[in-house]
Amino acid sequence: MGMGSVEHRNWKAIVAGVALAACAALAACKDPVETRREPAIGPKDRGLIAIKRAGCGSCHEIPGLDWPSGRLGPSLDGFDDVGLIAGQLPNRPDVLAAFIRNAPSVKEGSSMPPMPISEAEAADIAAYLYGLDHD
Amino acid sequence: MIDALWGWPPPVLDPAGPYSGKVTTLAWSLFGLGAFVTLVVVFALWVAIKGPDKWKAKLGGERAILLGGVAFPGVVLTALLVWGLTLTASLTEPIHGDEMRIRVTGEMWWFRVQYLDPSGAVVMEDANEIHIPVGRPVVLELESADVIHSFWVPHLSGKKDMIPGRRTLLRIEADRPGEFGGVCAEYCGRQHALMGFVAVAHEDDDFREWYAERNERLVSAGLDITRQVESSSGSGTQGSERSTVTRTGAGANTNSGQQSGRTLFMQSGCAACHRVAGTEANGLAGPDLTHVGSRRTLGAGILPNNRGTLIGWIGDSQSLKPGNRMPSYDMLNADELEAIAIWLEQQK
């Protein structure tokens, strides 16, 4: 009699365990990768992606980018607090975007070379740089 | 840059050719068998602790030990060993047909790439980028110039060590076109983590075109591809003097930076370590820059390749990859750096 009830409880425990494992397995089976939706990303995230793709870090230290951290150009840390862009241009998003794409065209003789990025990418990068608020 | 090429699914689970396919099949089989054995062991454990007495007795019996503890592992492990060893051997089989040959040499911290003709002579040199045709096995001859490195493009094959003083072989093959990231897979010093490359697989026609383009450039520079390469390993002067003349005019159609870019490259010492076929630059210590303008990456697979990153690398390589063997050329001014970069961009 006693024996029987102990075994009974054992089987219950096993059924519970199997059910638990099945739940865990189900939870692990997310949608296939292609059908999962990308989390919505804003201009700032796109800006950082564009920065990485273009390799701006090969001349600039850029917050949010661990590597590379070149020192040929000025650090872009705290860029929102910079007065004039490259010491000369008004610090406005449109000017910044234009400067990032083709510095010599907006600042005569600038030593930053034109970079291979689209206008949209430049705008995103500007949004990213302005978003680095340390105040 | 390398991260961008790896993506999801992880390349080890996303074979792009027959050799890597075999490795992935073996990996999944090991995983499956491992899972099965784990389940069996857990079940046996349960029987031993809480199972019915009749089962306990069976589990402790001689038969169970002989079957489950000796026969099963003996057979399975032996089979796996044979499978694993034959697979590994098949990845390193020497040439037996018309396979393409490429020699790749690991150097601290980049990959020297030499395309070989069937006789083993170097026909074209490059760095950190390997171009192969789709659907054809390629036999790589792996060497090292300094310490042990390991060559690994998970999409295309297994890993293989590059050992100083020895030549190892590795077969790779792609069955679809694409760009596949590769890395050094054996710790080799400070910048091991920044030592990568890109393998580019082309459809057959594209590959032929690519090859012809490169060849044509060398020929238009007055160079016979084979002779040039021979001369770089032997007495380099005669071949390169002839070509210098032809090359000056070849790309001299950009701005004024052009002429000085080339001159600066030669005068600033770049030529002592870098070779640009068809010019007097014949240095062999660093990566060959003959085709640097057409490469996808700089600094051994780590930076995108554009004018800005070229300038950044030349002027400040020690900030980007500290300890690498190229000094930062910060004694050059911005105009000079840009001029050199513009000239290098044209070396397709």
Side-chain angles (χ1 to χ4, degrees):
Chain A
M1 237 328 229
M3 248 323 250
S5 73
V6 167
E7 247 172 42
H8 193 62
R9 250 188 290 137
N10 274 345
W11 283 114
K12 259 200 209 156
I14 289 170
V15 170
V18 169
L20 212 71
C23 289
L26 265 179
C29 293
K30 289 189 197 147
D31 300 343
V33 183
E34 314 82 58
T35 64
R36 257 184 255 163
R37 281 196 31 230
E38 290 283 321
I41 63 167
K44 285 183 198 168
D45 309 284
R46 290 200 305 266
L48 188 57
I49 292 170
I51 283 174
K52 287 182 185 159
R53 194 193 59 73
C56 310
S58 57
C59 291
H60 294 288
E61 183 192 324
I62 301 171
L65 191 68
D66 292 340
W67 179 93
S69 184
R71 301 173 65 186
L72 218 60
S75 164
L76 301 185
D77 196 8
F79 187 74
D80 60 319
D81 297 331
V82 162
L84 299 174
I85 298 171
Q88 180 174 324
L89 303 167
N91 200 341
R92 293 196 321 249
D94 55 328
V95 180
L96 180 59
F99 178 86
I100 290 171
R101 272 195 89 197
N102 194 343
S105 77
V106 285
K107 180 188 169 189
E108 182 91 23
S110 173
S111 51
M112 171 161 152
M115 294 297 290
I117 50 177
S118 68
E119 269 174 38
E121 281 177 315
D124 290 339
I125 294 177
Y128 179 77
L129 293 178
Y130 280 126
L132 301 171
D133 206 337
H134 290 305
D135 309 328
Chain B
M1 201 58 197
I2 302 172
D3 313 337
L5 290 172
W6 285 38
W8 186 265
V12 277
L13 301 182
D14 179 31
Y19 297 113
S20 52
K22 287 199 268 184
V23 176
T24 308
T25 311
L26 176 63
W28 278 120
S29 311
L30 288 177
F31 179 76
L33 263 170
F36 172 71
V37 169
T38 308
L39 282 179
V40 170
V41 168
V42 169
F43 178 72
L45 206 62
W46 172 80
V47 170
I49 297 171
K50 296 191 158 179
D53 287 340
K54 217 175 89 187
W55 291 17
K56 275 189 192 168
K58 272 206 173 155
L59 186 65
E62 203 167 296
R63 225 170 95 91
I65 304 284
L66 281 179
L67 279 179
V70 180
F72 177 74
V75 170
V76 170
L77 292 182
T78 309
L80 285 177
L81 185 70
V82 172
W83 185 3
L85 289 180
T86 39
L87 197 160
T88 318
S90 76
L91 298 183
T92 59
E93 257 173 49
I95 293 183
H96 39 58
D98 63 343
E99 295 97 329
M100 197 176 143
R101 291 175 74 172
I102 305 177
R103 181 181 302 142
V104 184
T105 309
E107 316 230 359
M108 287 158 93
W109 292 283
W110 56 282
F111 295 89
R112 184 188 299 275
V113 178
Q114 292 164 314
Y115 297 83
L116 309 179
D117 70 11
S119 74
V122 179
V123 287
M124 193 197 305
E125 191 157 338
D126 202 359
N128 306 322
E129 202 163 286
I130 299 172
H131 293 257
I132 60 170
V134 162
R136 258 182 72 186
V138 177
V139 175
L140 301 177
E141 306 182 1
L142 304 177
E143 294 180 2
S144 167
D146 32 54
V147 299
I148 299 180
H149 303 276
S150 182
F151 180 99
W152 193 32
V153 207
H155 279 111
L156 303 184
S157 195
K159 278 178 203 162
K160 191 76 194 171
D161 278 3
M162 311 170 104
I163 300 165
R166 216 196 265 192
R167 172 174 301 170
T168 48
L169 299 180
L170 180 69
R171 291 178 159 253
I172 63 173
E173 180 177 338
D175 54 20
R176 57 174 141 105
E179 296 181 8
F180 306 106
V183 288
C184 174
E186 177 73 40
Y187 181 72
C188 60
R190 187 172 175 192
Q191 293 304 354
H192 163 66
L194 295 183
M195 177 171 171
F197 63 96
V198 185
V200 186
H202 303 263
E203 292 290 7
D204 224 28
D205 290 348
D206 283 351
F207 183 78
R208 254 186 274 270
E209 206 171 290
W210 169 85
Y211 197 86
E213 254 167 42
R214 288 209 164 176
N215 213 344
E216 192 183 324
R217 194 189 131 215
L218 296 179
V219 171
S220 78
L223 282 175
D224 178 320
I225 219 174
T226 0
R227 217 181 308 154
Q228 161 64 21
V229 174
E230 272 163 14
S231 77
S232 80
S233 54
S235 54
T237 32
Q238 162 242 13
S240 35
E241 261 170 20
R242 165 167 45 95
S243 47
T244 311
V245 189
T246 7
R247 260 307 267 287
T248 326
N253 48 5
T254 12
N255 59 33
S256 57
Q258 161 61 27
Q259 165 269 330
S260 58
R262 185 179 194 284
T263 317
L264 278 162
F265 185 88
M266 303 305 163
Q267 286 172 354
S268 313
C270 317
C273 289
H274 294 289
R275 172 172 169 271
V276 179
T279 75
E280 63 269 38
N282 209 11
L284 298 177
D288 191 299
L289 298 182
T290 309
H291 305 289
V292 69
S294 68
R295 280 201 226 141
R296 281 142 179 86
T297 67
L298 289 182
I302 60 172
L303 291 169
N305 184 7
N306 59 51
R307 188 174 303 174
T309 53
L310 267 170
I311 295 174
W313 176 268
I314 300 167
D316 192 24
S317 73
Q318 289 303 321
S319 295
L320 305 177
K321 193 167 173 178
N324 92 80
R325 295 199 171 152
M326 168 157 164
S328 292
Y329 275 76
D330 46 12
M331 68 294 267
L332 298 176
N333 69 33
D335 289 342
E336 292 168 328
L337 288 172
E338 182 162 29
I340 294 178
I342 290 175
W343 184 67
L344 287 178
E345 275 180 340
Q346 294 159 358
Q347 310 310 310
K348 301 270 189 199

